[in-house]
Amino acid sequence: MNANSELPGHDVDAPFVDDLNLGDYDAGMETNLITVEPGKRSGQPCIRGMRITVRDVLQYLAGGMSVSELLADFPELTMDDIRACFAYAASHLPRPAELLELP
């Protein structure tokens, strides 16, 4: 049984990232949309200088909120902002080769 099946408003058959098409995303756009300012949100990466962090967006989505719900609750966000959060997170994960110490 899906964990979201008992939560009101969660359709088990609905896709998690319903309208998110990462195939059309320009990875270079991330650098324009994700900002880090030492005095804002303790220097966490934020979206376009707003007080919404990459972590906030990813935690909402991981908690079961759909992209459509997120965009409705935060009308200042765009689909490109969401894509930039995924791209930012992916670019900060270590690559397997970086984990290995070569002789």
Side-chain angles (χ1 to χ4, degrees):
M1 175 180 255
N2 185 316
N4 288 335
S5 63
E6 296 177 5
L7 297 175
H10 288 277
D11 181 359
V12 178
D13 297 324
F16 174 66
V17 287
D18 43 17
D19 297 321
L20 193 62
N21 181 356
L22 293 174
D24 297 336
Y25 182 71
D26 174 14
M29 190 184 301
E30 168 201 328
T31 57
N32 296 328
L33 298 178
I34 305 300
T35 58
V36 176
E37 299 174 43
K40 188 175 288 179
R41 296 294 304 263
S42 301
Q44 295 181 67
C46 294
I47 301 165
R48 291 184 287 120
M50 295 184 283
R51 298 187 61 79
I52 302 170
T53 67
V54 170
R55 179 182 301 275
D56 293 337
V57 169
L58 297 177
Q59 285 181 327
Y60 281 123
L61 294 171
M65 184 179 271
S66 73
V67 172
S68 296
E69 291 170 326
L70 186 65
L71 293 173
D73 284 358
F74 298 93
E76 62 271 32
L77 293 178
T78 67
M79 189 66 74
D80 283 339
D81 295 332
I82 307 283
R83 290 182 185 121
C85 289
F86 280 114
Y88 183 87
S91 72
H92 285 77
L93 290 172
R95 290 182 171 35
E98 295 171 354
L99 296 175
L100 299 175
E101 275 192 38
L102 300 176

